[in-house]
Amino acid sequence: AQSVTQLGSHVSVSEGALVLLRCNYSSSVPPYLFWYVQYPNQGLQLLLKYTSAATLVKGINGFEAEFKKSETSFHLTKPSAHMSDAAEYFCAVSNSGGGADGLTFGKGTHLIIQP
Amino acid sequence: KAGVTQTPRYLIKTRGQQVTLSCSPISGHRSVSWYQQTPGQGLQFLFEYFSETQRNKGNFPGRFSGRQFSNSRSEMNVSTLELGDSALYLCASSLRPGANEQYFGPGTRLTVT
């Protein structure tokens, strides 16, 4: 079975500071990994995905994530936080590309940006 | 290209009633998945449909069901509603099962009183 653990239900950073959201996964096969963002009263928007092509993945809005197999991690980073980054972030794993078996999500991390 | 649309956006039902939610995928997408989002359980996979067939189902009781039509539109139904069914129900579409991108709709907020 696959699972995802997101460390920290809430993360607070100052505007302009580094954003680091942590995600560790468990999977019996090479995983596909995703980060999604959810703004209030909206659905999920895909930020980036790892599909074994490259370990450092660049996404939208300046976010990137690095796949580290030895640490079973896929942490999300952004060099400089912006007020518009305040949202809920979800890490997700799939054993089959994100479709056939459904996505398994972490509990989410609420990112707070301090002015 | 239009995104995933879900109707209705908000719904209030009484315990014991049944409800049907609708999802129209992105044009050309043939796979539709449903998820339930609650504060306590987070995001949980309900089921996935492709070519009018349910391909996979999450760990939910039989009160939760769905179907897909020939135009790829999908509906999910919850019968005998319970208070715990109050949630945001999200639909996601992809080109096909196994495609590594799912596009989510805005969700339907169901409140059971």
Side-chain angles (χ1 to χ4, degrees):
Chain A
Q2 57 200 21
S3 65
V4 171
T5 301
Q6 290 184 241
L7 298 176
S9 59
H10 292 76
V11 170
S12 179
V13 302
S14 298
E15 189 174 19
L18 171 72
V19 174
L20 170 60
L21 304 182
R22 300 178 187 274
C23 171
N24 288 89
Y25 69 90
S26 172
S27 177
S28 58
V29 298
Y32 294 84
L33 294 160
F34 308 81
W35 275 100
Y36 283 87
V37 61
Q38 185 177 33
Y39 298 100
N41 299 316
Q42 294 187 28
L44 302 176
Q45 181 182 10
L46 180 66
L47 277 176
L48 50 80
K49 60 185 180 186
Y50 167 76
T51 57
S52 76
T55 57
L56 182 61
V57 181
K58 294 186 183 298
I60 62 171
N61 302 340
F63 285 93
E64 62 181 38
E66 185 173 9
F67 172 71
K68 291 186 177 181
K69 184 178 179 180
S70 60
E71 299 177 6
T72 60
S73 68
F74 190 57
H75 302 330
L76 182 71
T77 60
K78 181 174 181 177
S80 178
H82 191 272
M83 295 299 290
S84 62
D85 295 327
E88 191 84 15
Y89 291 80
F90 294 93
C91 182
V93 64
S94 170
N95 289 341
S96 56
D101 296 327
L103 292 165
T104 299
F105 286 90
K107 294 292 188 183
T109 297
H110 186 62
L111 178 62
I112 301 161
I113 310 297
Q114 304 281 4
Chain B
K1 186 182 283 189
V4 178
T5 58
Q6 292 187 243
T7 57
R9 290 293 311 277
Y10 301 91
L11 204 51
I12 299 175
K13 290 287 188 179
T14 303
R15 194 169 46 182
Q17 289 185 314
Q18 74 166 12
V19 67
T20 299
L21 312 181
S22 180
C23 171
S24 293
I26 292 171
S27 178
H29 285 197
R30 299 173 59 197
S31 177
V32 174
S33 298
W34 288 88
Y35 294 84
Q36 181 197 63
Q37 185 177 23
T38 60
Q41 298 300 317
L43 280 153
Q44 293 183 286
F45 172 71
L46 277 158
F47 28 64
E48 186 210 17
Y49 285 87
F50 176 72
S51 292
E52 304 176 60
T53 301
Q54 187 181 93
R55 295 191 71 252
N56 206 2
K57 183 176 168 68
N59 188 25
F60 279 84
R63 300 185 298 108
F64 291 81
S65 63
R67 60 178 175 169
Q68 186 180 36
F69 301 95
S70 58
N71 62 358
S72 296
R73 189 177 70 87
S74 177
E75 290 181 346
M76 66 163 284
N77 183 277
V78 187
S79 62
T80 319
L81 283 167
E82 301 177 359
L83 296 178
D85 297 333
S86 295
L88 181 67
Y89 289 89
L90 293 164
C91 166
S93 79
S94 58
L95 282 170
R96 59 190 180 282
N100 55 25
E101 282 194 40
Q102 289 191 5
Y103 296 84
F104 283 78
T108 294
R109 173 75 63 186
L110 172 64
T111 301
V112 182
T113 62

